[in-house]
Amino acid sequence: MKTILQRLSERESLTELEMKEAMDNLFANDVTDSEIAAFMVSLKTKGETVEEIAGIVKAMRDKSLSFSKEIPNVLDNCGTGGDGSSSFNISSTSAFVIAGAGIPVAKHGNRSVSSKTGSADVLEHLGINLNHPPERTEEILEEIGIAFLFAPHVHPNIKRIMKVRKDLRIPTTFNLIGPLTNPVELDYQLLGIYRRDYIEMFAEVLKTLGRKRAVVLNGAGFMDEASLQGENHLAILNSGKVTKKILHPEEVGLPVCSNDAIRGGDSKENAEILLNVLKGKKGARRDTVLLNAGIGIFTGGRAETIQGGINLAKESIDSGAALEKLHQLIIASKSVHKEVI
């Protein structure tokens, strides 16, 4: 670790393999919390490269629970959090809409870290069991087309690293990479990030990780979700190329609305908001979900354009398909692994 820390402190970048080896050292029992903190701060100060982020992610995925099945065309729409917007759980709500449109969703998420309510808090309040072995999670994903992966459960070996991250009380690389560490082999990914200057870099990382198509976005007001407030900045990975796009809600037939209109509350309130949106209640929250789910449906290849994705998102909600996905997940999450029956 001493050599790695010295190189980072001298602003020397590491290759993907070197970073993966450095991360393996961080998982060792003899590494100190001070060394982990020094690693995080040195990397942040130097500035991360695509290769370094890819190396970190691959090392973390190697230490996660093993998901062996190759389920085709799976998408995740997890965001980084950390935008300070206090919005309701937009990506969790959108996940059911995307699944209702026929795209398998392996939703990676956690409890609240920087916001009032994390995706896990809301889903638990709705009656969804978060703790399954990988085999049962894969069964659920195959059976109903949506499954939730509770980050601390699927990444049991990174508790100390995450504790140090929290104790530092400053944002580092590890505040951004959570959505990249989904242990399911994804073909598609919609990733919201609170750092607008990182959207192209993270699209390049997703290219390195083998995504067929991906969208990395930063919303108006620097949200880690697409926003109705104004311009949303997107980096789109398609056919191995990354292009940038600015998307305004009026371009896709949605109204302009302040981010204040989509504030959420505690897990109970956010669960009620999620249910109301899936039941078809009109307003800024539904329109925000339509925008985000529409981008997700486009990302997953079910629509040729974002406008087409929004149209399918409307159909998913209005037909009851999105709400049915929620009901199916609640029931499936409470059943045991088939081999135990």
Side-chain angles (χ1 to χ4, degrees):
M1 278 306 299
K2 183 179 179 180
T3 302
I4 292 295
L5 293 175
Q6 183 69 31
R7 290 178 63 185
L8 291 176
S9 68
E10 294 174 356
R11 298 182 181 272
E12 182 180 343
S13 295
L14 307 180
T15 67
E16 181 181 312
L17 181 58
E18 287 172 335
M19 180 56 79
K20 194 170 181 298
E21 291 173 349
M23 283 296 298
D24 289 339
N25 287 332
L26 287 193
F27 287 116
N29 291 329
D30 59 348
V31 70
T32 67
D33 287 358
S34 296
E35 287 175 316
I36 296 173
F39 175 85
M40 292 180 178
V41 173
S42 296
L43 182 60
K44 171 187 170 63
T45 303
K46 179 189 75 67
E48 312 89 337
T49 67
V50 170
E51 283 195 334
E52 287 171 337
I53 295 173
I56 293 171
V57 169
K58 289 180 179 180
M60 292 178 68
R61 292 181 79 241
D62 284 349
K63 295 292 184 180
S64 69
L65 296 185
S66 177
F67 289 76
S68 57
K69 288 189 178 181
E70 292 186 9
I71 302 170
N73 303 319
V74 177
L75 174 142
D76 186 11
N77 69 323
C78 178
T80 61
D83 60 12
S85 67
S86 299
S87 62
F88 74 100
N89 298 87
I90 297 166
S91 63
S92 296
T93 312
S94 299
F96 293 105
V97 180
I98 295 167
I103 299 171
V105 178
K107 181 74 172 72
H108 195 241
N110 205 342
R111 299 196 187 282
S112 173
V113 177
S114 57
S115 59
K116 286 184 180 179
T117 309
S119 56
D121 303 304
V122 169
L123 297 179
E124 260 192 344
H125 192 86
L126 290 166
I128 294 170
N129 175 22
L130 304 178
N131 297 306
H132 291 292
E135 303 81 25
R136 180 58 188 148
T137 301
E138 289 171 330
E139 287 175 357
I140 292 171
L141 185 55
E142 283 188 313
E143 288 168 7
I144 66 172
I146 185 168
F148 184 83
L149 290 86
F150 183 37
H153 180 63
V154 298
H155 300 290
N157 297 310
I158 63 171
K159 290 179 181 178
R160 192 152 70 102
I161 293 175
M162 293 300 101
K163 179 184 180 300
V164 173
R165 185 201 82 172
K166 187 176 180 180
D167 290 345
L168 274 175
R169 298 185 181 182
I170 59 170
T172 70
T173 314
F174 289 80
N175 291 76
L176 297 169
I177 61 173
L180 300 174
T181 63
N182 191 323
V184 172
E185 290 295 335
L186 303 172
D187 285 321
Y188 306 107
Q189 189 154 4
L190 170 59
L191 195 165
I193 187 169
Y194 67 86
R195 290 283 301 268
R196 185 166 294 174
D197 54 331
Y198 274 39
I199 61 171
E200 286 181 275
M201 178 192 292
F202 271 59
E204 291 290 349
V205 173
L206 290 171
K207 175 182 174 180
T208 301
L209 296 176
R211 304 294 186 263
K212 292 179 181 178
R213 182 188 280 179
V215 173
V216 182
L217 66 83
N218 176 265
F222 295 92
M223 288 186 67
D224 73 328
E225 312 276 4
S227 164
L228 300 175
Q229 185 166 284
E231 292 184 342
N232 298 279
H233 292 249
L234 282 63
I236 302 170
L237 168 66
N238 194 28
S239 301
K241 295 182 179 180
V242 175
T243 57
K244 290 185 72 177
K245 177 179 177 63
I246 295 177
L247 178 69
H248 194 280
E250 290 180 330
E251 295 175 41
V252 286
L254 294 172
V256 175
C257 190
S258 168
N259 288 339
D260 290 338
I262 56 171
R263 287 182 177 273
D266 60 18
S267 58
K268 180 181 179 182
E269 184 178 347
N270 283 6
E272 290 174 354
I273 293 170
L274 185 154
L275 279 172
N276 285 335
V277 170
L278 296 189
K279 289 177 179 178
K281 184 176 180 179
K282 302 292 177 67
R285 289 160 175 163
R286 169 189 162 102
D287 290 337
T288 299
V289 169
L290 289 178
L291 179 57
N292 283 274
I295 296 171
I297 292 167
F298 161 76
T299 304
R302 294 283 290 181
E304 291 298 319
T305 63
I306 292 173
Q307 180 68 74
I310 290 170
N311 294 339
L312 289 176
K314 291 178 182 177
E315 183 180 324
S316 177
I317 293 174
D318 294 340
S319 69
L323 184 61
E324 179 60 23
K325 289 297 178 184
L326 171 60
H327 291 155
Q328 288 176 347
L329 182 56
I330 292 170
I331 294 168
S333 73
K334 293 176 180 177
S335 63
V336 297
H337 190 342
K338 286 179 179 177
E339 291 180 4
V340 180
I341 298 175

